[in-house]
Amino acid sequence: MKAEDVITYLESLQNEKQREILMRFFKTGKGEYGEGNEFLGLKVPQTREVVKAAWKGFPLEEVPELLMNRWHEVRLCGLLILVAKFESLATKRLMNNEDAIRARDNILIMYLNYAEQANNWNLVDLSVHKILGHWLLLPTFLGDRDYKIEVLDSLAKSDNLWRQRMSIVCTWKTSQQGDPFWCLRYADMHLHHPHDLMHKAVGWMLRELGKRISMDLLRDFLNLHAHEMPRTALRYAIERMSEQERQYWMNKERIK
């Protein structure tokens, strides 16, 4: 199967009613964060079914044609094919296999090269932790831990909202695996980001850190920063706490 076959099939599933709903939901109007996104009107499970059928025999070199496509769902399909390929190479058996390491690195490079094509929050959130986040935890021939930090720092310091979101949402995976460094570093870096989508992402990842690693680590972060955090980020971060503790953090004295 080639990219043109996937595109033709996805286009054949176009649903105008669902398309209008998605255009509103993903804020595609003028001046909104999703401006310019075009939808076929497919639900995510429909795209996943295509990925399930296609990914094993789908050539990696065909993926960019999907990622550069005008349709949101086609780009999602390309990203999810990369996810499926990466995960198949990241099993325990293949973790230290040299050929698998090279193949994972190639997928990671392609993902980063086309990062701006993941130009809405769901495209980032359905892919970044499973590729970039997982890569942070695995052997690589691209560089050491400092190199990995440089990769994420370059995303975090980008002027592109979606690259910035990648740098924090990828830490979902690292927190799942018990490593708090990445979440704490990029939550701190993005603490004063102006966009509400980043406030939500920071709070969400802090909540996951508390859930997966340590509520005390989350409390330590809040003790340092709750007074200056955007309210949305703080609300997301404390969602799993008791009502009494949530009120404590929400009422903590704020910097004037």
Side-chain angles (χ1 to χ4, degrees):
M1 185 177 287
K2 294 190 173 183
E4 61 183 304
D5 302 316
V6 170
I7 294 167
T8 298
Y9 179 70
L10 289 171
E11 287 179 337
S12 75
L13 301 175
Q14 188 166 355
N15 182 318
E16 186 62 29
K17 183 176 180 180
Q18 181 70 13
R19 174 183 174 276
E20 292 176 2
I21 293 170
L22 293 173
M23 295 280 281
R24 290 194 298 271
F25 182 75
F26 286 107
K27 306 294 185 186
T28 63
K30 187 172 178 58
E32 294 182 309
Y33 63 73
E35 182 179 355
N37 267 226
E38 295 185 80
F39 287 81
L40 290 167
L42 309 187
K43 295 182 179 179
V44 172
Q46 291 177 283
T47 305
R48 287 194 183 279
E49 282 299 310
V50 176
V51 172
K52 184 178 178 181
W55 76 267
K56 285 184 181 179
F58 196 88
L60 186 64
E61 60 270 21
E62 290 277 314
V63 174
E65 188 172 341
L66 301 180
L67 299 179
M68 293 301 296
N69 191 266
R70 62 182 286 204
W71 299 115
H72 182 103
E73 294 91 340
V74 175
R75 295 196 301 282
L76 174 59
C77 187
L79 292 167
L80 293 181
I81 287 174
L82 290 182
V83 167
K85 287 182 176 294
F86 190 96
E87 289 185 324
S88 74
L89 295 161
T91 62
K92 188 174 182 179
R93 181 176 67 86
L94 293 175
M95 185 179 298
N96 296 299
N97 178 280
E98 290 191 3
D99 289 339
I101 293 171
R102 290 190 185 92
R104 292 196 304 260
D105 286 346
N106 287 336
I107 292 169
L108 184 278
I109 290 168
M110 179 176 288
Y111 185 78
L112 293 176
N113 283 343
Y114 290 90
E116 290 181 23
Q117 295 304 111
N119 61 344
N120 214 305
W121 57 264
N122 70 317
L123 299 178
V124 172
D125 297 357
L126 289 171
S127 61
V128 71
H129 61 298
K130 295 182 177 181
I131 298 177
L132 177 57
H134 203 168
W135 175 80
L136 294 173
L137 300 164
L138 294 169
T140 174
F141 292 135
L142 296 177
D144 58 12
R145 184 178 174 87
D146 287 342
Y147 173 79
K148 292 179 176 181
I149 292 171
E150 287 176 13
V151 169
L152 260 66
D153 280 1
S154 69
L155 292 171
K157 295 173 182 178
S158 165
D159 59 4
N160 179 269
L161 174 63
W162 310 115
R163 287 180 178 270
Q164 293 167 354
R165 189 173 174 96
M166 284 180 173
S167 70
I168 182 65
V169 176
C170 75
T171 70
W172 192 3
K173 184 69 172 184
T174 53
S175 291
Q176 286 174 352
Q177 298 300 313
D179 185 347
F181 168 81
W182 305 95
C183 178
L184 294 174
R185 178 179 179 85
Y186 296 100
D188 183 71
M189 194 175 291
H190 292 305
L191 200 62
H192 301 292
H193 196 285
H195 204 293
D196 184 64
L197 281 177
M198 290 298 291
H199 301 168
K200 292 176 180 177
V202 167
W204 171 26
M205 290 303 107
L206 287 170
R207 184 182 72 221
E208 288 299 310
L209 178 141
K211 173 186 174 183
R212 303 285 184 170
I213 302 179
S214 167
M215 290 298 289
D216 285 337
L217 267 181
L218 172 56
R219 292 184 181 104
D220 289 344
F221 186 92
L222 295 176
N223 270 318
L224 290 173
H225 299 296
H227 62 278
E228 59 179 338
M229 288 175 68
R231 303 301 272 182
T232 298
L234 182 56
R235 288 191 187 97
Y236 271 59
I238 63 178
E239 263 185 2
R240 291 183 174 272
M241 295 179 176
S242 67
E243 174 64 23
Q244 182 179 4
E245 187 169 8
R246 289 200 303 271
Q247 288 302 317
Y248 167 78
W249 292 114
M250 292 301 295
N251 293 321
K252 194 172 177 65
E253 185 177 355
R254 300 180 68 76
I255 291 177
K256 305 299 183 186

